[in-house]
Amino acid sequence: MDPDATTPPLPEPDALTRRFWEACRQGRLDLCACESCGHLFLPPGPCCPRCWAMRITTRTASGEGAVRTFAVYRRTYHPGLPQPYVVAVIELREGPRLVSNVVGCAPERVRIDMPVRARFENVGEFTLPRFEPAGPEKEPS
Amino acid sequence: MKRRAVIAGVGHTSFGKHPGRSAFELEAEAAALAARDAGLDPLEIDGLLTDPGFARGPMEGITPHFLRLGGLLGIDPLYTGTEILGGAGSAAIVGRAALAVEAGLCSTCLCVYGDSALSTPGAYAYGRGDDAAYGLFGAVGLHAMAAQRHMHLYGTRPEHLGEVAVAARACGARTPHAQKRRPISLQEYLESDPVVDPLRKLDCCLVSDGAAAVLVTTEERAAALRRPFARILSQAQAHRLRTFTSPEHFETLPAARCGPEALARAGVTADDVDVALLYDCFTIVVLLQLEDYGFCKKGEAGPFVEGGRIAPGGKLAVNPSGGLLAEGYGGGMLHVIEAVRQLRGEAGERQVPGAEIALVSGHGLGMNTHATLVLGR
Ligand SMILES: [Zn+2]
């Protein structure tokens, strides 16, 4: 087996996403903000997906959000990501959605609309924004 | 006089494992069977549209699928192309062939799907871009999230998904060429291995090697051939390129936009559909489409399928040949072919008596693409 096989797959930053991942490394979840209409969005893009203005700045999100939906993987697709794990679409308080994991509680306790907050975790040379329950579902660590 | 497009011939390989046979070889076999079925000389074919499946990717180096396949088949067409719409590709190329034939760009267009996904380990278990870092692999995770939300909003239960799986396998049992011919019970469904909760192994479609083809030509040309044909009454597409950032994602499919539109363009309603060939990569997709196409109200697909309503002998004929869950993974082209067979009245034991209107759907790329055809006699 490849000696790196137990390293999970990592993002491949490009010109559009590099700033997002750099902010994560510094413990910030940065949203794209349209200077023209104020729309906040993810994933990062070359223009505002609402008004097509090209002047885009960033705004740091609160890291608070809720689970819009989720799935519990019961099969291991990658040796670096053993099952079970929870993949979720998180809706941030500011509006944008992103795919992430819900961590810090048993998969059986995850619920749609459950409040969560960002928790930055280092994986290889990356820092991934994952989410843990903001309410009573959180397990003591 | 306006040229009207019809499907004059259909053909497919067996679906299952074809070790050592390339997808191109399977596609050539399907094409030859479709030409023979129509009674058309291959030299008459002046259009080629293709759906290359997943395992090969759409390009070999700088050679797109249609160029390689057309060369192998010896075709210099007036019109060609390859559609990359995932599971919506097959319905989309048949629709595009109809537009090309009706516009006079070509007269007889071969539409081909093929893949050797079963002989290509992990063909569908790919990581989804940067989200693979979170473990988002395959199409199953996204569909599990749609199922989870449907259960949360509407109280849909595992047994409802199970009704879809059980019905599909009962249909497969009546289909001589189906990849899975053994029926299953609801209990067997409930005990099947979890894959990505809330979806189980029996919620997931088959993986297959195989190819399927149809020939689209003018009604005038088809009338001179010896075989009955199916009319392409209407088509529509809708896509959700914003994926999960779209407000309605995980609640409806793009079918909610193009499905009712396609039916209206054909001058029919869901009540007029005699047989529905609904793309069924996962059981939840059938439930969502029953709602999106208007067979039942939003949120009511679970109770709608209770009691075998979409099983053989039920009130609504859905995927009589077993679909992707039992007949084989035909990329959506087997759905088109079953619609034609039902309209021709040649579906044998699974024939829907007097079928006159058939709905065909295609759905793909992680719930982001959708294509609809309405076919008639
Ligand atoms: Zn804007």
Side-chain angles (χ1 to χ4, degrees):
Chain A
M1 192 181 269
D2 177 341
D4 292 333
T6 54
T7 303
L10 293 171
E12 294 175 8
D14 60 19
L16 296 176
T17 60
R18 190 163 292 119
R19 285 172 71 186
F20 175 84
W21 291 114
E22 280 170 7
C24 286
R25 189 152 30 185
Q26 294 161 31
R28 297 194 320 273
L29 186 58
D30 276 2
L31 310 175
C32 294
C34 174
E35 285 195 2
S36 179
C37 77
H39 182 52
L40 298 173
F41 62 95
L42 283 178
C47 68
C48 170
R50 183 175 284 169
C51 75
W52 287 8
M54 302 290 286
R55 289 174 63 89
I56 307 298
T57 181
T58 57
R59 193 168 119 195
T60 299
S62 62
E64 293 168 14
V67 174
R68 178 163 168 82
T69 189
F70 68 99
V72 184
Y73 276 67
R74 300 287 182 188
R75 278 196 187 174
T76 295
Y77 283 77
H78 189 286
L81 291 164
Q83 65 91 14
Y85 59 90
V86 178
V87 178
V89 171
I90 306 297
E91 186 158 310
L92 298 172
R93 198 182 69 187
E94 294 83 0
R97 296 175 182 169
L98 73 163
V99 170
S100 185
N101 300 121
V102 176
V103 294
C105 84
E108 294 73 25
R109 304 195 68 179
V110 179
R111 295 285 177 270
I112 286 174
D113 295 337
M114 187 171 92
V116 291
R117 65 172 161 252
R119 165 171 134 180
F120 292 89
E121 295 189 349
N122 295 327
V123 180
E125 62 197 55
F126 279 84
T127 303
L128 300 181
R130 291 190 163 121
F131 289 81
E132 61 185 9
E137 295 85 355
K138 183 171 191 277
E139 288 168 356
S141 53
Chain B
M1 197 180 92
K2 185 180 179 329
R3 288 158 63 111
R4 290 192 192 282
V6 304
I7 298 173
V10 303
H12 60 81
T13 64
S14 67
F15 275 72
K17 199 147 198 174
H18 289 284
R21 297 184 74 194
S22 90
F24 291 105
E25 183 184 341
L26 301 171
E27 288 162 345
E29 180 183 330
L33 289 168
R36 191 189 309 164
D37 178 56
L40 270 164
D41 187 326
L43 290 175
E44 230 184 286
I45 292 167
D46 60 0
L48 173 66
L49 291 172
T50 76
D51 173 353
F54 288 89
R56 274 172 299 190
M59 302 278 283
E60 289 181 291
I62 59 162
T63 307
H65 182 238
F66 69 84
L67 182 53
R68 178 87 194 277
L69 182 62
L72 294 170
L73 294 174
I75 298 175
D76 287 332
L78 297 172
Y79 189 76
T80 193
T82 291
E83 294 272 11
I84 311 301
L85 291 172
S90 289
I93 60 174
V94 173
R96 186 170 152 192
L99 296 175
V101 163
E102 292 183 353
L105 297 176
C106 61
S107 293
T108 300
C109 187
L110 175 66
C111 300
V112 188
Y113 163 86
D115 206 350
S116 49
L118 187 54
S119 293
T120 308
Y124 301 135
Y126 46 86
R128 302 195 81 96
D130 282 354
D131 292 334
Y134 303 108
L136 187 65
F137 278 79
V140 61
L142 294 165
H143 289 84
M145 287 197 260
Q148 189 82 256
R149 193 147 177 92
H150 207 272
M151 290 172 160
H152 171 80
L153 290 174
Y154 307 117
T156 306
R157 297 195 311 272
E159 289 81 359
H160 294 135
L161 298 174
E163 286 270 1
V164 177
V166 169
R169 293 287 291 264
C171 290
R174 296 163 168 236
T175 304
H177 64 266
Q179 191 171 331
K180 292 283 184 195
R181 298 212 61 200
R182 185 181 63 80
I184 57 168
S185 66
L186 191 57
Q187 193 58 33
E188 187 176 349
Y189 164 83
L190 290 169
E191 289 168 2
S192 98
D193 288 341
V195 179
V196 181
D197 291 347
L199 299 183
R200 296 163 164 80
K201 184 166 190 283
L202 288 172
D203 288 299
C204 305
C205 69
L206 304 173
V207 178
S208 313
D209 302 333
V214 308
L215 279 162
V216 175
T217 189
T218 61
E219 180 177 351
E220 188 184 20
R221 181 72 190 94
L225 300 166
R226 61 194 167 85
R227 302 278 286 121
F229 53 82
R231 295 173 197 279
I232 300 168
L233 299 178
S234 71
Q235 60 177 303
Q237 296 184 17
H239 309 290
R240 194 173 284 155
L241 308 186
R242 293 189 290 162
T243 69
F244 59 80
T245 69
S246 202
E248 61 270 33
H249 204 61
F250 297 120
E251 293 183 6
T252 63
L253 301 174
R257 287 169 75 198
C258 67
E261 180 65 29
L263 291 168
R265 285 177 192 168
V268 300
T269 69
D271 286 344
D272 300 315
V273 172
D274 298 306
V275 55
L277 284 304
L278 301 179
Y279 192 89
D280 54 339
C281 50
F282 299 97
T283 51
I284 180 64
V285 174
V286 173
L287 295 187
L288 289 168
Q289 288 175 98
L290 289 169
E291 298 169 0
D292 291 347
Y293 279 95
F295 291 103
C296 63
K297 288 190 186 138
K298 188 72 219 160
E300 294 182 0
F304 182 84
V305 300
E306 281 175 2
R309 191 191 295 232
I310 63 168
K315 281 203 172 121
L316 178 63
V318 174
N319 299 345
S321 49
L324 306 174
L325 293 163
E327 183 181 17
Y329 189 86
M333 196 63 88
L334 286 178
H335 288 61
V336 177
I337 289 176
E338 177 65 6
V340 173
R341 287 179 170 151
Q342 289 287 342
L343 295 170
R344 282 172 163 180
E346 58 184 32
E349 188 190 348
R350 62 183 192 276
Q351 179 66 42
V352 176
E356 291 189 358
I357 299 288
L359 173 70
V360 181
S361 76
H363 150 106
L365 298 182
M367 304 193 290
N368 299 319
T369 62
H370 203 92
T372 307
L373 299 170
V374 182
L375 307 183
R377 284 213 293 220

